[in-house]
Amino acid sequence: EVQLVESGGGLVQPGGSLRLSCVASGFAFSSYWISWVRQAPGKGLEWVANIKQDGSVKNYVGSVKGRFTIFRDNAKNSLDLQMNSLRGEDTAVYYCAREGIGGNDYWGQGTLVTVSS
Amino acid sequence: EIVLTQSPGTLSLSPGERATLSCRASQSVSNSYLAWYQQKPGQAPRLLVYGASTRATGIPDRFSGSGSGTDFTLTISRLEPEDFAVYYCQQYGNSPPHTFGQGTKLEIK
């Protein structure tokens, strides 16, 4: 069974940092692009970043460029999102999701990040 | 960056009726790489359709996608009670970001 499990969310002050993790199981992790997608409370989905199978290509949405960094460790079937200089507008549930043949075919349950003083 | 605009914002229908949801892109979506997702409260999104018209694994055939270029449609032929949810389109064919539409809420009339 394909599973993606996020962790690392919590309350952080504006300007602070947080590192999210996503552990995958049930599929060949190193064969897939993986994305981070977020959803602010009561709002729609926002694509945040993705990373190629070998980690050689990383893409980010403009609003997080220079502040967020996506990493993967294929030996551990894990994906991280290092988030620095956090702002109130970064408050959201963060999902990791596998990029399949088309679109994101498997999603984690999400982890909530709250940026507030 | 491609902007996806979904309409209507809210659609009120009854079980058994047909639902038609629209997604319009600000520029052509390469290779019709357009996906549709369903999201229910407190749950992660679920992939319904990719490549504009291919149903994902396990998705009932009452869900169908169509379109190309800048105009795409998700049709639910006969609404079941479990279909009332929020629906999002996403383009993944052009350079990132792989943007989502703002969503259409399908509610029971």
Side-chain angles (χ1 to χ4, degrees):
Chain A
E1 179 192 5
V2 172
Q3 282 195 315
L4 296 156
V5 180
E6 303 94 336
S7 62
L11 175 64
V12 60
Q13 292 189 337
S17 298
L18 208 58
R19 191 174 181 109
L20 306 183
S21 294
C22 170
V23 176
S25 59
F27 67 99
F29 180 75
S30 61
S31 297
Y32 291 85
W33 286 75
I34 306 291
S35 305
W36 284 100
V37 176
R38 67 184 179 183
Q39 186 168 36
K43 303 297 184 183
L45 301 171
E46 181 182 29
W47 185 92
V48 174
N50 71 352
I51 186 168
K52 194 178 177 180
Q53 290 93 329
D54 62 359
S56 62
V57 178
K58 304 175 183 182
N59 298 296
Y60 302 92
V61 68
S63 59
V64 310
K65 277 182 183 175
R67 300 190 299 124
F68 289 14
T69 305
I70 189 171
F71 300 92
R72 68 188 295 161
D73 184 339
N74 287 341
K76 297 181 178 179
N77 287 354
S78 68
L79 175 80
D80 284 0
L81 185 68
Q82 176 66 43
M83 304 186 295
N84 298 329
S85 303
L86 284 161
R87 307 166 180 166
E89 55 265 37
D90 297 318
T91 293
V93 173
Y94 284 73
Y95 296 99
C96 64
R98 189 180 86 169
E99 295 185 16
I101 296 172
N104 293 104
D105 58 357
Y106 286 93
W107 297 65
Q109 83 290 349
T111 187
L112 175 62
V113 173
T114 304
V115 183
S116 175
S117 55
Chain B
E1 174 177 326
I2 292 183
V3 176
L4 299 179
T5 302
Q6 293 186 239
S7 61
T10 302
L11 186 57
S12 300
L13 294 170
S14 300
E17 291 193 294
R18 179 185 187 92
T20 303
L21 287 66
S22 174
C23 177
R24 177 162 289 179
S26 59
Q27 56 187 277
S28 184
V29 176
S30 296
N31 301 305
S32 294
Y33 282 171
L34 192 287
W36 289 94
Y37 300 87
Q38 176 193 69
Q39 188 179 34
K40 296 180 180 179
Q43 296 184 17
R46 174 194 182 195
L47 178 66
L48 299 175
V49 168
Y50 62 91
S53 60
T54 302
R55 273 188 301 276
T57 303
I59 301 303
D61 60 8
R62 64 180 182 274
F63 291 91
S64 63
S66 62
S68 64
T70 61
D71 289 300
F72 299 88
T73 301
L74 177 71
T75 301
I76 311 171
S77 58
R78 295 170 308 279
L79 286 166
E80 297 287 342
E82 62 268 26
D83 298 336
F84 292 91
V86 180
Y87 292 83
Y88 295 95
C89 58
Q90 181 201 25
Q91 68 80 22
Y92 56 95
N94 299 65
S95 298
H98 293 166
T99 46
F100 289 88
Q102 83 280 16
T104 290
K105 181 179 182 180
L106 178 56
E107 65 176 23
I108 299 176
K109 187 173 182 180

